Amino acid sequence: MQCAGEENWVDSRTVYIGHKEPPPGADAFIQQRFPDNRVVSSKYTFWNFIPKNMFEQFRRVANFYFLIIFLVQLIIDTPTSPVTSGLPLFFVIIVTAIKQGYEDWLRHKADKAVNQCPVSVIQRGKKIKKESFRITVGDVVFVKEDETFACDLILLSSSRDDGTCFVTTASLDGESSHKTYYAVQDTKAFRTEEEVDSIHATIECEQPQPDLYKFVGRINIYMDNEAVARPLGSENVLLRGATLKNTEFIYAVAIYTGMETKMALNYQSKSQKRSAVEKSMNSYLVVYLCILISKALINTVLKYIWQADPNKDEPWYNERTEAQRQRHILIRAFTDFLAFMVLFNYIIPVSMYVTVEMQKFLGSYFIMWDDDMYDEELGEGAVVNTSDLNEELGQVEYVFTDKTGTLTENNMEFIECCVDGHVYVPDAICNGQVLSGAAAMDMIDTSPGPGGREREELFFRALCLCHTVQVKEEETVDGIKHGIHQGKSASFYISSSPDEVALVEGMKKLGFTYLRLKDGQMEILNREDEIERFELLEVLSFDSVRRRMSVIVRAASGDIFLFCKGADSSILPRVISGKVDEVKARVEHNAVEGLRTLCVAYRPLSPEQHQEVCRLLSGAKLALQDRDKRLSEAYELVEKDLILLGATAVEDRLQEQAADTIESLHKAGMKVWVLTGDKMETAAATCYASRLFRRNTQILELTTKRVEEQNLHDVLFDLSRTVLRHHGSMTRDNCSSLSNDCTDYGLIIDGATLSAVMRPPQEDLNSGSYKEIFLEICRNCSAVLCCRMAPLQKAQIVKMIKASKEHPITLAIGDGANDVSMILEAHVGIGIMGKEGRQAVRNSDYAIPKFKHLKKMLLVHGHYYYIRISELVQYFFYKNVCFIFPQFLYQFFCGFSQQPLYDTAYLTLYNISFTSLPILVYSLMEQHINMDILKKDPSLYKDVAKNSLLRWPTFIYWTVLGVYNAIVMFFGTYFLFDNTTFTSNGQMFGNWTFGTLVFTVLVFTVTFKLVLDTHYWTWINHFVIWGSLVFFVLFSLLWGGIIWPFLNYQRMYYVFMQMLSSGPAWLSIILLITASLLPDVVKKVIWRALWPTITERIQSADKLYKGQLSEFTPLASLHAPSKAGGRRRGSENQSNPRRSAAFSKKLMFTRWQRKPDYCTFTPLLRFVDGHSPHHNAYGGAEPETCV
Amino acid sequence: MMASSYNAKEEDGHHSGSSSHGGPGAIKSKKPDNTAFKQQRLPAWQPILTAGTVLPAFFVIGLIFIPIGIGLFVTSNNIKEFEIDYTGVEIDSPCYICAKNFSWNSTTSCVCSVNFTLDQPFESNVYMYYGLSNFYQNHRRYVKSRDDSQLNGVESNLKQPSKECEPYRTSDGLPIAPCGAIANSLFNDTLELFHINQNGTKQRVNVTKKGIAWWTDKHVKFRNPGGSSNLSVAFQGTAKPVNWRKAVYDLDPEDPENNGFINEDFIVWMRTAALPTFRKLYRIIQKKPNSTPTLSSGRYVMEITYNYPVLSFDGRKRMILSTISWMGGKNPFLGIAYITVGSICFFLGVVLLVIHHKYDTRTNSAEIPN
């Protein structure tokens, strides 16, 4: 009875249906405790909100740092009041808390709505309405059509006679197709409340798991004191969140509730990805922290040296209090150190974090709003799941793309089938047309011999039966039959695999129509319009490891067949007879053409064999542990001794502009890897079609076939030698840009070989270095195709590249559940809103409707956001150096007494209001180059590659500029104040005027610095930049204009006005601003003139042609060898071809250039001079070839 | 990060199963608005800094700055300034004895006189400053050691001075008014200027002590406590700062408008200097109505009531006489700086011109790839 009694039960739970004890003799009744069905997605409760939220917020290093500074200010006597750092900090904390609180309140509301929605539960033979959260494990639930399941359920019975129900899981994985679920066979007859209540059974199942598509369990039904055990699989489980469709009602029993439902388990936050910019920002922070500490240390030491003389320490006019005198010297020194820290702490501003976060958050809206990334068909635009990575889109070096559904449309079209070497083309038969491709082969033979005819029909039947396609009915059950009969498309096929739909539809064209599955009978309308019925005995479902699926059916005649279809590599080895060679030849031919091929085979089963098969399968299905493993073992045993019938070919069209996109990515210096589960030939053909490989690409193969011939070691070394020799010769001969010989390499590797390469090193010989050699080869290939990949292998590859020594930024793009692992692994994961559900989209950082949108995403948005945020980060550090360094210098003139140079209000507001908005607006609006040009000329992307704007030299330049400005501002003011007056009435100014003058110059200088850097002046920029300056002036007037009653000091009273009333103050403000900005302007101008980057060239050219540049397709002519002058700016491996005669000499100094792409190379000026434009410019779309 | 949490919220919507998705209305609303702002296509001015565009600016700056600089320099040079150090460090200095014998407790003040000669007459108003060196008025402990509310005449602060004033807050249990280190160290030398006529007689030079402090300070920021005209009553119950010789209501007994907290010498002192070497306005010698110079050239004597000790911290005391132009006192810095920056701009303009001609044109147009 207890067929699996010996198994280990630790990881399982027992559910007592209707909370009834099992009859004596069975397992002891142990009431397990399960959580109720309350779903809690909220993070906080009313009571713990403040402590928990504060704790969460202060866990961030930056916030903690500011809290410490604030506490130090509270505890010790510091130069600035705690308000200066407390106010911004608490502003940030409170705003964040309010935001999070509001979001949590929304979650609470949603939770409440969910938890309190009424559900019908059967108790003592009656339906009782309960609030959803009161459902407990074991309750029998009654669900009506269009209701959503409140917890994970096991289907007991439904209103349909066959015990099935239809469910849509749109909110779980986005698949809107109706999926069929099955009731437990022994309970499907219980259809009223009383009957259901009389069920006496227990369910044993695994503990909750997040995998939506996996479930193992077993139901023990006690009837007449005899227990029957039935297996339960995922086809019996109705998941919370799914909706009942096309079924009047069902009864089901709750097995997982509340937070243990599969959906809740899946609902978890992803690990935080951090962008390269954030990493450089953090390293800059460390540098600034070091600067801060060293500044404080230097000042503390100098202070004590200076104070060694008691007359300086305590002159008669400035004595300490007794308490201060009593303090121990070490405590005093430490306090002084802390005080200096506090004085200089503004060098790391709170507002930087806020601004960066706002920039990312607000900036991501531009991606979502982008009209170009909106797909009419899907009715969706781009989705941003994480705005943290906006700038990372501008840093991508490796693109890993899935093939099916990503490069291709995943819109399958049945092209042909081949039975025993005879080729059938639906169109050719229907329309009398002969396809040229097929014509080259021998036959389109519609009249094979009588034996052939039989096999042909068997083949068609096989395809009609061997699938998991559902028929979606238009209206009523009667309607379909009618509809199909009339030849109208009143019904259509739905399947999670588009290939299957294509096949079944193809069969329809060839005369065999699959009607429906009813009561375990599959109905087929054959060529003679007769309905054939086959009893569906078993479905050996598809999985990506076996790469095949089978059905076992019993024909009306009583014969039992196993039909199997799958990839040729998984079918052919199991074939014992059939015209293998012909079919294989055709399959290979089709694969080369880029078609997806499947082989179809069958195996007649004798009743005894069938018994055996049933035993094997049910044994495996009942297993609670390792069910998958056992099942696949069973499948392995069943699917053998096959007889080959034929093969099919399905075409998957390339997505619109896929080739153009790939080409752009290549030009932008990215390496594109295609990772696919498809077979090599198909994938390679797609790669050619999408111009991942070009005609002149030299293909290197690293495949099982080749490895079988030589051993892996030799192949690897061979390849690396080829690649490196090539590379070496390139550097030596400089490979004149005119020559055509410079080929690039494309590598093809398959899954098996890859796992051999990745295998941890063995002890013998030097196999440990395989991975390095492989990486070395990959680095020198512009395109890599990995075929036959398992999902996990995809992630492995991404991980491997991520870990390679350059630590390149990777991007993974895919549409299916099999791409999720790689999407999660890559630095940036992009989901395509494809046909295979929403899992990729849900797990991605960004989601776009089509592959072509990647181009704008990376080339335009990525580029912009990188430029914007890098300026933002650099500028923030710069303006705080300008801000704090004068204060540091001032310490040398005030006896290292921590006297602040600026007034408290200025210290507080500098970063919050005087200088924050312009940079924020800059970082949202800046467009250094026109969007269209960025799209037209992908190589501009290289200008920002490898974090080029946040490298140390740039950072040091900004810092030095900041220090220079600080010195100019401080000493300029110092000499102006130097022991004289600069008012016309002889009155003197004090230290606060000194600070205000420096501060005024400071605010204007840093704002004007941004003015110089802004290339894109919209009215918003004007408003914000001039607005902040006006605000500063108005604020200063107001702040100094009133005796503020709440302040115990009035040091700023009339200081600003008095300063402005002095002519020399105005003059010195103008002078100091000019002197501060001068070097930066000169540097910019001279660099632009002498060593322009490509970006700057394009800007100039755009200016020259008054913004019309984007209309001239070729921009390559602007890519002068910017390194010719001996300077190397921008990208390292600039490989754009130039053939300017004037520069041919200089070209000799540049590195090897790749083969010129003539079509990209229409000279710009010839066009301008009036010659007709080239028509084959690369922008002109070449036909999107589909092989 | 924020966006992610917002999306989490959306997922919650699905969570509840109550959110509507897929409706045609929902699809329509997802289509982004085709506005210039949302599509990042706002009309914009796109200037580029090139040698060509910056060139004229540099020349213009050069051409404007150099004349301004020359003007400032000439103005500064025309200002007459006379400075004399009367600290009394050297033995031959007239105030040597006063400086050496200084004691806080002495009741009689030491007087010394310094002779000097003005070579040139001082036209227009002459401003008389005292200057201190090595005196850290900008020391933090010093700067904050005051009570602005007390100085503004707030009664409660008069009796309860701010803690910031420590250790100059109370004296013998009585609150000090004005409290704090700044007030305590008020400069209390008296400087008197005499012109020595041809016949050898001393003629006092008339000085005014009004207008040496900021108008706003005198009239708004500083106020005497209490409404009563009798200051000694108003300050009853307070002590004078320990280093003062007279109480705050005796600072200028002759002029009630210049007594107490609104004494201008006091106000001037209370505005802490920015740097350790500073000068403060002491008196103004008004221009005479007739055309005679304010201070004619000749011999003068300055009589000093030497009260203020600076030797202990290596300080120096100076008396400065200076005329003033629209740009203030003598300070060649601004003029020189303007000339320098102007010249640099001009020079850079020339450099850029060369660069522009040699490179800029080439990069923009001469580059014709065949």
Side-chain angles (χ1 to χ4, degrees), chain A residues 470-495:
Chain A
Q470 295 164 36
V471 178
K472 169 124 183 182
E473 310 142 18
E474 194 74 338
E475 279 299 331
T476 56
V477 184
D478 295 321
I480 13 145
K481 215 174 187 177
H482 202 65
I484 288 173
H485 222 68
Q486 299 296 310
K488 287 177 201 153
S489 53
S491 68
F492 47 93
Y493 300 114
I494 305 166
S495 168

mmCIF file of all heavy atoms in Angstrom, chain A residues 470-495:
data_model
loop_
_atom_site.group_PDB
_atom_site.id
_atom_site.type_symbol
_atom_site.label_atom_id
_atom_site.label_comp_id
_atom_site.label_asym_id
_atom_site.label_seq_id
_atom_site.Cartn_x
_atom_site.Cartn_y
_atom_site.Cartn_z
ATOM 1 N N GLN A 470 -2.823 23.205 -27.153
ATOM 2 C CA GLN A 470 -4.225 23.245 -26.790
ATOM 3 C C GLN A 470 -4.989 23.958 -27.878
ATOM 4 O O GLN A 470 -4.451 24.815 -28.558
ATOM 5 C CB GLN A 470 -4.455 24.064 -25.527
ATOM 6 C CG GLN A 470 -3.854 23.509 -24.300
ATOM 7 C CD GLN A 470 -3.830 24.595 -23.250
ATOM 8 O OE1 GLN A 470 -4.733 25.408 -23.165
ATOM 9 N NE2 GLN A 470 -2.777 24.589 -22.473
ATOM 10 N N VAL A 471 -6.240 23.625 -27.969
ATOM 11 C CA VAL A 471 -7.090 24.333 -28.914
ATOM 12 C C VAL A 471 -7.852 25.378 -28.131
ATOM 13 O O VAL A 471 -8.512 25.076 -27.146
ATOM 14 C CB VAL A 471 -8.055 23.358 -29.598
ATOM 15 C CG1 VAL A 471 -8.966 24.117 -30.555
ATOM 16 C CG2 VAL A 471 -7.280 22.299 -30.339
ATOM 17 N N LYS A 472 -7.707 26.584 -28.537
ATOM 18 C CA LYS A 472 -8.460 27.643 -27.864
ATOM 19 C C LYS A 472 -9.766 27.837 -28.616
ATOM 20 O O LYS A 472 -9.780 28.091 -29.809
ATOM 21 C CB LYS A 472 -7.661 28.933 -27.858
ATOM 22 C CG LYS A 472 -8.475 30.116 -27.420
ATOM 23 C CD LYS A 472 -7.837 30.813 -26.267
ATOM 24 C CE LYS A 472 -8.743 31.953 -25.817
ATOM 25 N NZ LYS A 472 -8.184 32.709 -24.734
ATOM 26 N N GLU A 473 -10.816 27.700 -27.879
ATOM 27 C CA GLU A 473 -12.119 27.768 -28.533
ATOM 28 C C GLU A 473 -12.593 29.192 -28.552
ATOM 29 O O GLU A 473 -12.321 29.956 -27.631
ATOM 30 C CB GLU A 473 -13.107 26.910 -27.739
ATOM 31 C CG GLU A 473 -12.563 25.545 -27.462
ATOM 32 C CD GLU A 473 -12.909 25.016 -26.092
ATOM 33 O OE1 GLU A 473 -13.838 25.544 -25.471
ATOM 34 O OE2 GLU A 473 -12.244 24.062 -25.669
ATOM 35 N N GLU A 474 -13.302 29.488 -29.570
ATOM 36 C CA GLU A 474 -13.788 30.861 -29.688
ATOM 37 C C GLU A 474 -14.939 31.090 -28.732
ATOM 38 O O GLU A 474 -14.868 31.901 -27.840
ATOM 39 C CB GLU A 474 -14.213 31.135 -31.125
ATOM 40 C CG GLU A 474 -14.408 32.602 -31.410
ATOM 41 C CD GLU A 474 -13.088 33.334 -31.511
ATOM 42 O OE1 GLU A 474 -12.064 32.862 -30.977
ATOM 43 O OE2 GLU A 474 -13.072 34.375 -32.119
ATOM 44 N N GLU A 475 -15.998 30.333 -28.869
ATOM 45 C CA GLU A 475 -17.154 30.563 -28.013
ATOM 46 C C GLU A 475 -17.525 29.327 -27.210
ATOM 47 O O GLU A 475 -17.008 29.093 -26.136
ATOM 48 C CB GLU A 475 -18.348 31.002 -28.861
ATOM 49 C CG GLU A 475 -18.337 32.466 -29.227
ATOM 50 C CD GLU A 475 -18.368 33.358 -27.999
ATOM 51 O OE1 GLU A 475 -18.923 32.966 -26.948
ATOM 52 O OE2 GLU A 475 -17.802 34.454 -28.082
ATOM 53 N N THR A 476 -18.368 28.551 -27.755
ATOM 54 C CA THR A 476 -18.853 27.373 -27.044
ATOM 55 C C THR A 476 -18.131 26.144 -27.565
ATOM 56 O O THR A 476 -17.403 26.200 -28.544
ATOM 57 C CB THR A 476 -20.360 27.181 -27.267
ATOM 58 O OG1 THR A 476 -20.579 27.119 -28.681
ATOM 59 C CG2 THR A 476 -21.148 28.320 -26.678
ATOM 60 N N VAL A 477 -18.355 25.061 -26.875
ATOM 61 C CA VAL A 477 -17.694 23.832 -27.265
ATOM 62 C C VAL A 477 -18.181 23.377 -28.650
ATOM 63 O O VAL A 477 -17.429 22.859 -29.459
ATOM 64 C CB VAL A 477 -17.959 22.727 -26.227
ATOM 65 C CG1 VAL A 477 -17.202 21.457 -26.568
ATOM 66 C CG2 VAL A 477 -17.577 23.235 -24.846
ATOM 67 N N ASP A 478 -19.432 23.647 -28.922
ATOM 68 C CA ASP A 478 -19.963 23.233 -30.218
ATOM 69 C C ASP A 478 -19.374 24.058 -31.347
ATOM 70 O O ASP A 478 -19.196 23.586 -32.450
ATOM 71 C CB ASP A 478 -21.498 23.405 -30.239
ATOM 72 C CG ASP A 478 -22.147 22.471 -29.248
ATOM 73 O OD1 ASP A 478 -21.655 21.335 -29.149
ATOM 74 O OD2 ASP A 478 -23.090 22.901 -28.562
ATOM 75 N N GLY A 479 -19.097 25.288 -31.000
ATOM 76 C CA GLY A 479 -18.621 26.222 -32.017
ATOM 77 C C GLY A 479 -17.361 25.765 -32.721
ATOM 78 O O GLY A 479 -17.232 25.894 -33.930
ATOM 79 N N ILE A 480 -16.448 25.210 -31.952
ATOM 80 C CA ILE A 480 -15.154 24.878 -32.561
ATOM 81 C C ILE A 480 -15.283 23.820 -33.631
ATOM 82 O O ILE A 480 -14.728 23.967 -34.712
ATOM 83 C CB ILE A 480 -14.131 24.267 -31.579
ATOM 84 C CG1 ILE A 480 -14.783 23.857 -30.288
ATOM 85 C CG2 ILE A 480 -12.890 25.065 -31.483
ATOM 86 C CD1 ILE A 480 -14.146 22.636 -29.738
ATOM 87 N N LYS A 481 -15.928 22.819 -33.237
ATOM 88 C CA LYS A 481 -16.029 21.698 -34.160
ATOM 89 C C LYS A 481 -16.548 22.226 -35.490
ATOM 90 O O LYS A 481 -16.016 21.987 -36.550
ATOM 91 C CB LYS A 481 -17.039 20.700 -33.596
ATOM 92 C CG LYS A 481 -16.692 19.266 -33.879
ATOM 93 C CD LYS A 481 -17.679 18.428 -33.140
ATOM 94 C CE LYS A 481 -17.364 16.968 -33.178
ATOM 95 N NZ LYS A 481 -18.329 16.225 -32.386
ATOM 96 N N HIS A 482 -17.552 22.996 -35.316
ATOM 97 C CA HIS A 482 -18.182 23.613 -36.449
ATOM 98 C C HIS A 482 -17.184 24.444 -37.224
ATOM 99 O O HIS A 482 -17.006 24.311 -38.424
ATOM 100 C CB HIS A 482 -19.309 24.499 -35.926
ATOM 101 C CG HIS A 482 -20.358 24.770 -36.953
ATOM 102 N ND1 HIS A 482 -21.155 23.772 -37.463
ATOM 103 C CD2 HIS A 482 -20.744 25.921 -37.566
ATOM 104 C CE1 HIS A 482 -21.970 24.300 -38.359
ATOM 105 N NE2 HIS A 482 -21.746 25.595 -38.433
ATOM 106 N N GLY A 483 -16.489 25.270 -36.416
ATOM 107 C CA GLY A 483 -15.560 26.212 -37.039
ATOM 108 C C GLY A 483 -14.485 25.507 -37.830
ATOM 109 O O GLY A 483 -14.225 25.839 -38.979
ATOM 110 N N ILE A 484 -13.874 24.553 -37.210
ATOM 111 C CA ILE A 484 -12.799 23.851 -37.900
ATOM 112 C C ILE A 484 -13.350 23.147 -39.127
ATOM 113 O O ILE A 484 -12.751 23.151 -40.186
ATOM 114 C CB ILE A 484 -12.137 22.847 -36.937
ATOM 115 C CG1 ILE A 484 -11.330 23.620 -35.904
ATOM 116 C CG2 ILE A 484 -11.238 21.893 -37.690
ATOM 117 C CD1 ILE A 484 -10.784 22.772 -34.819
ATOM 118 N N HIS A 485 -14.489 22.635 -38.954
ATOM 119 C CA HIS A 485 -15.100 21.923 -40.053
ATOM 120 C C HIS A 485 -15.338 22.831 -41.252
ATOM 121 O O HIS A 485 -15.101 22.462 -42.387
ATOM 122 C CB HIS A 485 -16.429 21.325 -39.588
ATOM 123 C CG HIS A 485 -16.643 19.947 -40.090
ATOM 124 N ND1 HIS A 485 -15.875 18.892 -39.656
ATOM 125 C CD2 HIS A 485 -17.500 19.448 -41.009
ATOM 126 C CE1 HIS A 485 -16.259 17.804 -40.276
ATOM 127 N NE2 HIS A 485 -17.253 18.108 -41.117
ATOM 128 N N GLN A 486 -15.764 24.020 -40.939
ATOM 129 C CA GLN A 486 -16.047 24.951 -42.026
ATOM 130 C C GLN A 486 -14.759 25.540 -42.603
ATOM 131 O O GLN A 486 -14.808 26.290 -43.548
ATOM 132 C CB GLN A 486 -16.915 26.106 -41.512
ATOM 133 C CG GLN A 486 -18.274 25.705 -40.970
ATOM 134 C CD GLN A 486 -19.167 25.100 -42.019
ATOM 135 O OE1 GLN A 486 -19.318 25.690 -43.089
ATOM 136 N NE2 GLN A 486 -19.748 23.937 -41.754
ATOM 137 N N GLY A 487 -13.642 25.204 -41.979
ATOM 138 C CA GLY A 487 -12.386 25.771 -42.491
ATOM 139 C C GLY A 487 -12.182 27.201 -42.034
ATOM 140 O O GLY A 487 -11.243 27.862 -42.421
ATOM 141 N N LYS A 488 -13.079 27.690 -41.196
ATOM 142 C CA LYS A 488 -12.875 29.055 -40.688
ATOM 143 C C LYS A 488 -11.898 28.992 -39.518
ATOM 144 O O LYS A 488 -11.787 27.963 -38.852
ATOM 145 C CB LYS A 488 -14.196 29.637 -40.199
ATOM 146 C CG LYS A 488 -15.141 30.012 -41.316
ATOM 147 C CD LYS A 488 -16.432 30.501 -40.696
ATOM 148 C CE LYS A 488 -17.575 30.399 -41.681
ATOM 149 N NZ LYS A 488 -18.848 30.230 -40.993
ATOM 150 N N SER A 489 -11.277 30.081 -39.287
ATOM 151 C CA SER A 489 -10.317 30.088 -38.177
ATOM 152 C C SER A 489 -11.044 30.475 -36.905
ATOM 153 O O SER A 489 -10.740 31.458 -36.264
ATOM 154 C CB SER A 489 -9.179 31.066 -38.462
ATOM 155 O OG SER A 489 -9.713 32.323 -38.778
ATOM 156 N N ALA A 490 -12.024 29.713 -36.559
ATOM 157 C CA ALA A 490 -12.779 30.027 -35.360
ATOM 158 C C ALA A 490 -12.034 29.557 -34.126
ATOM 159 O O ALA A 490 -12.384 29.912 -33.021
ATOM 160 C CB ALA A 490 -14.148 29.374 -35.421
ATOM 161 N N SER A 491 -11.047 28.725 -34.322
ATOM 162 C CA SER A 491 -10.250 28.301 -33.171
ATOM 163 C C SER A 491 -8.782 28.418 -33.550
ATOM 164 O O SER A 491 -8.435 28.436 -34.724
ATOM 165 C CB SER A 491 -10.577 26.856 -32.823
ATOM 166 O OG SER A 491 -10.111 26.020 -33.851
ATOM 167 N N PHE A 492 -7.991 28.513 -32.528
ATOM 168 C CA PHE A 492 -6.561 28.551 -32.832
ATOM 169 C C PHE A 492 -5.792 27.795 -31.769
ATOM 170 O O PHE A 492 -6.327 27.455 -30.711
ATOM 171 C CB PHE A 492 -6.055 29.981 -32.986
ATOM 172 C CG PHE A 492 -6.508 30.908 -31.914
ATOM 173 C CD1 PHE A 492 -5.720 31.121 -30.801
ATOM 174 C CD2 PHE A 492 -7.740 31.562 -31.994
ATOM 175 C CE1 PHE A 492 -6.135 31.968 -29.809
ATOM 176 C CE2 PHE A 492 -8.158 32.416 -31.000
ATOM 177 C CZ PHE A 492 -7.355 32.624 -29.905
ATOM 178 N N TYR A 493 -4.557 27.534 -32.086
ATOM 179 C CA TYR A 493 -3.752 26.689 -31.205
ATOM 180 C C TYR A 493 -2.941 27.532 -30.248
ATOM 181 O O TYR A 493 -2.462 28.604 -30.594
ATOM 182 C CB TYR A 493 -2.816 25.829 -32.046
ATOM 183 C CG TYR A 493 -3.531 24.920 -33.000
ATOM 184 C CD1 TYR A 493 -3.419 25.092 -34.372
ATOM 185 C CD2 TYR A 493 -4.324 23.885 -32.519
ATOM 186 C CE1 TYR A 493 -4.083 24.265 -35.252
ATOM 187 C CE2 TYR A 493 -4.991 23.060 -33.391
ATOM 188 C CZ TYR A 493 -4.875 23.242 -34.762
ATOM 189 O OH TYR A 493 -5.524 22.423 -35.608
ATOM 190 N N ILE A 494 -2.793 27.024 -29.065
ATOM 191 C CA ILE A 494 -1.989 27.711 -28.064
ATOM 192 C C ILE A 494 -0.995 26.720 -27.496
ATOM 193 O O ILE A 494 -1.347 25.585 -27.196
ATOM 194 C CB ILE A 494 -2.851 28.218 -26.896
ATOM 195 C CG1 ILE A 494 -3.972 29.101 -27.418
ATOM 196 C CG2 ILE A 494 -2.017 28.962 -25.896
ATOM 197 C CD1 ILE A 494 -5.019 29.331 -26.379
ATOM 198 N N SER A 495 0.198 27.159 -27.366
ATOM 199 C CA SER A 495 1.167 26.292 -26.722
ATOM 200 C C SER A 495 2.275 27.159 -26.150
ATOM 201 O O SER A 495 2.488 28.286 -26.588
ATOM 202 C CB SER A 495 1.758 25.321 -27.732
ATOM 203 O OG SER A 495 2.879 24.683 -27.191
#
